[in-house]
């Protein structure tokens, strides 16, 4: 390779990196990228005086730093004033309207990460500085260069500061904490904490492993030159994206309060599904001349504010620990907390998962702990605040017997299980699961009603549901004619349901909705007579599933026969099309399609597809319709094959 070939191949490598890390549209395989990378690296090692400073090989420094130097920003990085409600946001906007009645605004997501200021001179990245106190920050240029979404070179020769947020996805945050647990290292409390900690590593090789992303949100020095005061902030950001930065999602130009509120509530709705933590929305007066006229207070601009989301991370104190017994007998420790409000809900309990988790995190009764809540999922404890301990904290002990029935316990790897099949807790949980939406979907038979029926000795197992009478129900406290008839009708409507629903409802260990569908579509009613080897012959079925199903069929033969007699389930044995392009492919549906997703899922399952609800690196296709949200964004980030409905049907 000569110098001309080096420059040509380097241009191709940089284009590959841009497509992969910024556009989320890979133009080459990992192998092709790696081969070209090492060819260029070999040339540079032979010719160190010819190395292009913007080469991707220059992203990781050779030696760790001893400490970070300080650097002053050319333009101050201001804090934003916060507003926390619709009323406060409207009051802030109306203050702008007093000066500029025709003002418009740029709204953008407020990412929860670590702020970073990038300085470019002559088109080259010359410095990267943390926010610090807004005037002076720490110089982390060596680490910033490891972040693939930060261009080392931009097609703009004037001096300019690009501001943005260094973030990490929720999925990568979980992986980092799992690795730290395995090494007995302290855990990061949240993705923001992980991003900031990763950015400030003295060894840039560690930073390079953390999969950080840079999301641009503003401009410091050089804004007057790039805008010439003839365009707004929204247009200026469009120009920044042309420099090679990631295009941030949901950036919107809003003309009035109603449009701002609409974007805010859309972001709030997307918050839990979006792969990166969002903690609000930034509202920015769009016109640069108006911004200069309004100016700044001592600490913040008058022309921008942060419209914050309700907090989902809080701290609380563990008062005690309750042991819950599930339908499979697994005992789950649950922390009873000092009540704390998160997203408008009072949280007084949080799962501790299992006793191995408690030991690894060293969680004790009396600890103050960090809690997070995502959507409707039960809150979970991330870590204890060990520095706040005063010596009164009590270690959490493993149980010796079942806390409900006093029965024998089995320790199975990280799980502790009650062995008593007649344990009240196991029976209740099995009935609740039997009636749940993805099982028999018995409307009106939630947890409270199941407990009431059980406590009044009307049901002792799932079979008893089909012996309930109108007279039984109407005699219960709080039950009237309509409620009783509705429940009896809902139970009656389970007769003739799909076989897979019954299999899922039976609560066979290791066999959920997907496995139930696959087994019944291939074997029909023969599922209850399968041998160990016949189960293993199915793709995706291992020893644990085979052992579990064979044992369940053996010990519950009488129950299965009675349920089949009562329900007479509908059997749909599907002939799988092994020649389909979707055969044995993992597929996620998202957005609004021309048919309900369940119907499209059935079509794809007949082609041998494996349907799942979440996007991961193992997903083969994401099929999307209108208003597709975070699942589509995540699929793009992972480079997964995307199909619209028309393309899907063409392949079918």
């Amino acid at each position: 390779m000569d110098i001309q070939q080096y420059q040509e191949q380097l241009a191709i490598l940089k284009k590959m990196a841009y497509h992969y890390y910024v556009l989320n549209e890979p133009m080459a395989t990992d192998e092709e990228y790696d081969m070209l990378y090492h060819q260029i690296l070999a040339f540079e090692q032979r010719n160190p005086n010819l190395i292009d400073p913007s080469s991707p090989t220059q992203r990781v420094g050779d030696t760790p730093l001893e400490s970070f130097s300080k650097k002053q920003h050319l333009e101050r990085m201001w804090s934003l004033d916060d507003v926390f409600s619709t009323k406060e946001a409207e009051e802030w906007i109306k203050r702008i309207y007093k000066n500029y009645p025709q003002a418009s605004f740029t709204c953008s997501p407020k990412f929860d990460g670590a702020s970073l200021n990038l300085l470019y001179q002559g088109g080259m990245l010359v410095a990267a500085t943390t926010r610090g106190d807004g005037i002076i920050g720490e110089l982390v240029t060596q680490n910033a260069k490891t972040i693939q979404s930060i261009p080392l070179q931009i097609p703009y020769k004037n001096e300019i500061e690009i501001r943005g947020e260094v973030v990490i996805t929720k999925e990568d945050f979980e992986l980092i904490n799992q690795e730290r647990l395995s090494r007995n290292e302290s855990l990061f409390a949240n993705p923001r904490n992980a991003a900031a900690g990763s950015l400030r590593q003295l060894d840039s090789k560690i930073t390079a492993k953390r999969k950080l992303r840079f999301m641009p949100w503003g401009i410091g020095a050089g804004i007057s030159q790039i805008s010439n005061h003839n365009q707004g902030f929204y247009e200026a950001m469009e120009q920044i994206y042309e420099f090679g930065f990631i295009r941030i999602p949901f950036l919107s130009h809003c003309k009035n309060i109603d449009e701002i509120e609409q974007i805010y509530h859309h972001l709030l709705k997307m918050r839990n599904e979006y792969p990166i933590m969002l903690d609000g929305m930034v509202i920015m007066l769009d016109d640069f001349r108006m911004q200069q006229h309004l100016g700044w207070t001592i600490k913040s601009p008058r022309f921008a504010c942060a419209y914050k989301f309700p907090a989902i991370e809080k701290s609380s104190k563990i008062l005690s620990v309750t042991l819950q017994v599930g339908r499979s007998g697994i005992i789950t420790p649950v922390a009873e907390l000092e009540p704390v409000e998160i997203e408008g809900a009072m949280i007084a309990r949080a799962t501790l998962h299992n006793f191995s988790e408690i030991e690894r995190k060293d969680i004790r009764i009396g600890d103050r702990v960090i809690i997070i809540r995502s959507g409707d999922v039960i809150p979970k404890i991330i870590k204890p605040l060990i520095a706040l301990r005063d010596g009164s904290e009590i270690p959490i002990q493993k149980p010796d017997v079942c806390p409900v029935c006093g029965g024998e316990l089995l320790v199975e790897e990280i799980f502790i299980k009650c062995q008593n099949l007649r344990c009240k807790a196991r029976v209740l949980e099995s009935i609740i699961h039997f009636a749940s939406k993805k099982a028999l979907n018995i409307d009106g038979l939630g947890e409270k009603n199941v407990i009431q029926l059980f406590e009044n000795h009307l049901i002792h197992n799932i079979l008893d549901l089909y012996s309930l009478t109108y007279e039984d129900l109407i005699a219960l406290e709080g039950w009237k004619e309509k409620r009783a008839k509705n429940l009896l009708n809902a139970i009656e409507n389970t007769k003739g349901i799909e076989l897979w629903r019954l299999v899922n409802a039976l609560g066979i260990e290791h066999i959920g909705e997907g496995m139930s569908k696959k087994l019944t579509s291939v074997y029909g009613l023969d599922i209850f007579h399968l041998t160990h080897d016949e189960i293993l012959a199915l793709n995706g079925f291992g020893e644990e599933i085979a052992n579990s199903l064979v044992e369940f069929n053996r010990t519950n033969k009488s129950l299965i026969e009675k349920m089949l007699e009562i329900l007479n389930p509908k059997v749909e044995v599907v002939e799988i099309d092994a020649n389909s392009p979707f055969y044995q492919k993992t597929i996620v549906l998202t957005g609004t399609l021309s048919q309900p997703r369940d119907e499209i899922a059935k079509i794809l399952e007949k082609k041998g597809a494996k349907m799942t609800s979440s996007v991961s690196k193992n997903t083969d296709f994401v099929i999307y319709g209108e208003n597709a949200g975070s699942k589509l964004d995540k699929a793009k980030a992972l480079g997964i094959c995307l199909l619209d409905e028309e393309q899907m049907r063409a392949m079918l």
Side-chain angles (χ1 to χ4, degrees), residues 440-445 466 485-495:
L440 263 64
N441 194 20
I442 303 177
D443 192 29
L445 196 60
Y466 295 91
K485 286 184 175 179
N486 284 346
L487 178 57
L488 291 174
N489 286 336
I491 293 172
E492 184 66 22
N493 289 338
T494 62
K495 295 177 181 179

Side-chain angles (χ1 to χ4, degrees), residues 230-507:
N230 292 322
Q231 63 182 17
F233 179 75
Y234 184 86
E235 291 175 321
M237 287 305 297
E238 288 291 329
Q239 189 167 345
I240 294 302
Y241 302 144
E242 293 176 7
F243 291 168
F245 290 92
I246 287 177
R247 178 179 293 274
I248 64 171
F250 315 118
L251 186 75
S252 305
H253 189 210
C254 299
K255 298 175 183 176
N256 52 51
I257 291 175
D258 289 341
E259 289 184 3
I260 290 172
E261 280 296 322
Q262 187 176 354
I263 294 297
Y264 173 82
H265 288 288
H266 176 66
L267 281 172
L268 185 57
K269 184 179 178 182
M270 296 293 299
R271 174 191 200 177
N272 294 323
E273 294 183 12
Y274 195 68
I276 298 170
M277 291 284 285
L278 306 175
D279 64 351
M281 180 179 82
V282 175
I283 308 173
M284 175 87 69
L285 178 61
D286 191 64
D287 190 286
F288 286 124
R289 287 171 295 184
M290 295 179 188
Q291 288 184 9
Q292 292 294 322
H293 181 261
L294 288 176
W296 293 259
T297 66
I298 293 174
K299 71 179 187 71
S300 60
R302 293 189 176 94
F303 51 81
C305 71
Y307 192 175
K308 298 298 286 290
F309 292 155
I312 60 169
E313 175 190 301
K314 293 284 182 75
S315 70
S316 183
K317 184 177 182 180
I318 298 179
L319 303 177
S320 61
V321 172
T322 300
L323 302 178
Q324 289 186 339
V325 184
R327 70 177 189 274
S328 64
I330 292 176
I331 295 174
T332 302
V334 176
E336 306 293 340
L337 306 163
E338 284 183 347
V340 59
E341 185 180 349
I342 305 180
E343 285 191 301
M346 290 305 296
I347 304 302
R349 315 182 84 208
T351 180
L352 290 165
H353 300 291
N354 55 63
F355 289 92
S356 295
E357 185 97 342
I358 291 171
E359 289 176 5
R360 285 201 305 269
K361 293 181 178 178
D362 188 22
I363 298 172
R364 305 178 186 181
I365 296 171
D367 270 337
R368 287 208 73 82
V369 291
I370 298 289
I371 309 161
I372 65 168
R373 177 174 181 261
S374 179
D376 297 325
V377 179
I378 186 169
K380 64 179 181 179
I381 290 170
I382 295 297
K383 63 183 290 186
L385 299 172
I386 295 173
L388 300 181
R389 285 180 177 165
D390 60 11
S392 64
E393 294 76 19
I394 304 168
I396 299 168
Q397 301 295 329
K398 294 180 181 178
D400 298 317
V401 296
C402 174
V404 176
C405 69
E408 179 185 350
L409 297 179
L410 170 70
V411 178
E412 194 177 71
E413 295 183 356
I414 65 172
F415 298 112
I416 299 175
K417 300 174 68 175
C418 171
Q419 294 290 85
N420 180 12
L421 291 173
R422 292 186 176 85
C423 175
K424 173 185 172 182
R426 293 191 66 174
V427 172
L428 281 172
E429 288 295 328
S430 68
I431 298 171
I432 292 166
H433 172 73
F434 186 82
S436 64
K437 187 173 182 180
K438 289 294 186 180
L440 263 64
N441 194 20
I442 303 177
D443 192 29
L445 196 60
E447 181 177 353
K448 289 182 180 178
N449 286 348
V450 170
I451 292 172
Q452 187 182 19
L453 294 172
F454 188 90
E455 297 289 355
N456 283 275
H457 309 292
L458 293 178
I459 57 173
H460 304 90
N461 53 53
I462 56 177
L463 281 172
D464 289 340
L465 293 171
Y466 295 91
S467 301
L468 287 172
T469 66
Y470 175 77
E471 288 73 26
D472 290 333
L473 297 176
I474 206 70
L476 294 173
E477 182 181 349
W479 286 73
K480 294 185 178 179
E481 180 181 357
K482 185 177 180 181
R483 183 179 177 188
K485 286 184 175 179
N486 284 346
L487 178 57
L488 291 174
N489 286 336
I491 293 172
E492 184 66 22
N493 289 338
T494 62
K495 295 177 181 179
I497 47 86
E498 300 102 318
L499 178 59
W500 74 263
R501 284 189 173 275
L502 172 58
V503 174
N504 190 34
L506 289 172

